[in-house]
Amino acid sequence: MPAKTMLQLGTLLLVACGGFAVVAAEVSTSPPPTGQETSPQNSGTAAHSGTEKMAPGASSLTGPRAVLKQLGISDSMWEGLEDGRPLQPQERELLLRLLFHMRMFQPTDLEEWKQPPPDWNAVSSDLQAWRGKVLEVEGTATQWTEEPVPPELAERLGLEHYYSCRVVTDQDAEYLVYARDIPRAWKTMKQLREKTVVRGLFLKLVDTQPRPVPALVTARPGWFPDNLLGRLGMDCSLFDDVGLDTLPQRFVTPQAPSENGEEPLSDPLEKYRLTGKDRECFYQLLAAVGRAEPGQLLREAQAELARLGKSTFSVVPLFNDPVHQQGKLFVLYGTARRIEKVSVEDADIRKRFGIDHYYTIYLFTDDSQNYPIVFCVRYLPKGVVPGEGPGYAVNLAVAGFFMKTWAFRPQAALSPDAPRNAWQLAPLLIGREAVRLATEASSRRVATVTTILTGVVVVVVVLIGIIVWWFNRQDKKREEEIRQRLFSESSQNEVPRSDPASSGVQSTEPDNSNDSSP
């Protein structure tokens, strides 16, 4: 085989070995976040309190007017409303009763009943047909006013005050919104210009300057601030429904029944569980992060760290100051020692948000002092499956929004210092996905594979050198043999030169030996 061909073969071998080394290193390290979920085995346990049950709806009746009629708000009360005039005393009583009952309507009811507002000029002669319908209005809240409730009605309805808000749509249509409450953050703003979505019952056209405007009745306007959560479609007013503890603690023990078997009047675990009150906030957060692009939350959190001049977020505020962390974005790096898949059986959540499961990650960071931070995410990295136990450990980076302090039953392997019968408390954050990080074991595998492949490359290079040297030596020997053979053949074919004296041929030259000198 010619030496040139052997050199080409050696080059191909080196390139192939180098490419294999690169592929081995990439396989051993973590893949980039793709947002694709895995198909893990169902763990059969839920992240909160088992598989979550559907919250009961307000009613199976066909509309809000039918529900309210069962509660004593008759058709004649709607028909007694006068459009184009200020709110009359008897109309105010209807308003207060509507505000009292609005809290019973579930989000799924409002979602089913909502419809866009009509062209008010076109329906001005038939406003009765629109009273009590749920209209969805998107716009900007520009001002709010706290309105007192007359003492006789306040005691009967349990309302001391309510709120009236001005909302202007992008088409410059104005609405007057009566609400049982408004987002807590609005009350601290000196100048209000916040995006809102209102789902409210149409009451009447109220006389205002310079013209009458439609009045809607709602439990609370939605709030979509100009930040990442708001842009992802999260109603941040729902955070007002989530109770937070101002006293940092790690464990809480349920109150035992009394000696006569009576249950305690208050459950200290109530505010730490995922309850019907904060259920909507939890699932709207899961839906909002699902609208983010893969890796978007991680990039946004890292950009915030760069802006603050920090390399990592501390978990200390999440444990010790949860009140001031709600809704903030964090990215944490640590080891997941337990991951569960939670199936969502709630028909309304599946229908409204398309969420049929999520994953709960118990993450331990370098500064969490062996206490977990709990993330609920929509997707796991490729190759990561739920699990737990002494040998289960996955290094992850997870970005998410802090929601509340949450209680779960501790496991002896993860919480050896947990008091008996106590529930452990942990920060609960909601994120889109987890990103797998390279572990020490994978690094060692990469180093081992690299060392082996380096040895193989060295052996290949040495073998190629020996083969090239051997072929070169054989070529030189063959050239020497050919040279000697050619020389021998040329020597045998050469004619020898003859002596004239011995040839028997007479010389033709004259003999001048007898000539004399002159």
Side-chain angles (χ1 to χ4, degrees), residues 150-472:
E152 63 277 9
L153 292 176
E155 184 176 356
R156 180 154 56 94
L157 298 176
L159 284 174
E160 295 182 355
H161 56 263
Y162 63 97
Y163 297 88
S164 61
C165 307
R166 296 278 179 171
V167 174
V168 180
T169 69
D170 293 340
Q171 295 75 33
D172 290 330
E174 187 174 351
Y175 287 82
L176 179 62
V177 177
Y178 295 113
R180 185 184 180 95
D181 201 359
I182 61 174
R184 187 186 303 143
W186 291 9
K187 301 174 185 179
T188 62
M189 296 179 181
K190 294 182 179 179
Q191 186 174 3
L192 183 66
R193 285 198 64 84
E194 295 295 317
K195 183 179 178 182
T196 184
V197 175
V198 178
R199 290 179 179 175
L201 301 172
F202 171 61
L203 185 66
K204 60 174 279 185
L205 290 181
V206 176
D207 182 26
T208 61
Q209 294 298 328
R211 61 185 182 276
V213 297
L216 304 180
V217 183
T218 187
R220 181 179 58 205
W223 176 40
F224 299 83
D226 185 19
N227 57 25
L228 179 58
L229 263 183
R231 290 189 292 272
L232 291 174
M234 172 65 190
D235 179 3
C236 291
S237 72
L238 294 170
F239 284 119
D240 296 351
D241 299 330
V242 180
L244 293 172
D245 197 348
T246 57
L247 299 176
Q249 51 184 333
R250 299 292 178 266
F251 300 94
V252 62
T253 303
Q255 188 174 347
S258 61
E259 294 181 357
N260 56 9
E262 294 181 357
E263 292 293 329
L265 296 178
S266 61
D267 182 3
L269 283 175
E270 183 67 20
K271 62 182 175 182
Y272 299 115
R273 291 172 172 165
L274 185 64
T275 65
K277 189 174 182 181
D278 51 25
R279 169 183 182 269
E280 184 68 14
C281 181
F282 176 79
Y283 283 113
Q284 278 216 27
L285 265 176
L286 271 179
V289 297
R291 300 183 192 107
E293 296 294 328
Q296 181 180 359
L297 301 187
L298 180 61
R299 293 191 298 270
E300 294 276 356
Q302 290 173 337
E304 178 64 13
L305 281 173
R307 189 185 69 81
L308 296 174
K310 298 180 179 180
S311 58
T312 58
F313 285 103
S314 171
V315 302
V316 174
L318 293 172
F319 283 97
N320 296 343
D321 188 23
V323 174
H324 297 99
Q325 314 310 317
Q326 197 173 55
K328 291 184 178 180
L329 179 63
F330 290 80
V331 57
L332 300 178
Y333 303 84
T335 301
R337 301 180 188 170
R338 180 183 177 190
I339 299 179
E340 294 177 321
K341 181 181 179 181
V342 182
S343 297
V344 178
E345 305 299 334
D346 307 43
D348 67 317
I349 299 300
R350 287 171 171 256
K351 180 179 179 181
R352 287 194 294 141
F353 303 127
I355 300 174
D356 58 12
H357 71 275
Y358 58 90
Y359 299 94
T360 305
I361 301 172
Y362 297 78
L363 191 74
F364 293 78
T365 66
D366 290 340
D367 59 342
S368 67
Q369 301 180 17
N370 208 32
Y371 293 106
I373 297 93
V374 179
F375 281 89
C376 291
V377 300
R378 300 285 299 272
Y379 308 107
L380 290 180
K382 187 176 181 180
V384 174
V385 297
E388 58 185 303
Y392 188 85
V394 184
N395 282 6
L396 298 174
V398 194
F401 297 94
F402 175 70
M403 177 182 167
K404 65 180 291 185
T405 301
W406 174 69
F408 65 97
R409 289 190 179 276
Q411 294 182 332
L414 300 182
S415 306
D417 60 338
R420 185 178 180 183
N421 298 326
W423 288 58
Q424 187 165 350
L425 303 181
L428 177 64
L429 296 92
I430 313 299
R432 185 187 188 277
E433 74 267 298
V435 178
R436 192 170 192 177
L437 303 176
T439 62
E440 293 182 3
S442 65
S443 299
R444 286 195 297 270
R445 287 195 297 269
V446 171
T448 302
V449 171
T450 304
T451 302
I452 293 174
L453 291 177
T454 301
V456 171
V457 170
V458 171
V459 171
V460 170
V461 170
V462 172
L463 289 175
I464 291 173
I466 293 173
I467 293 172
V468 171
W469 172 82
W470 187 82
F471 272 97
N472 286 337

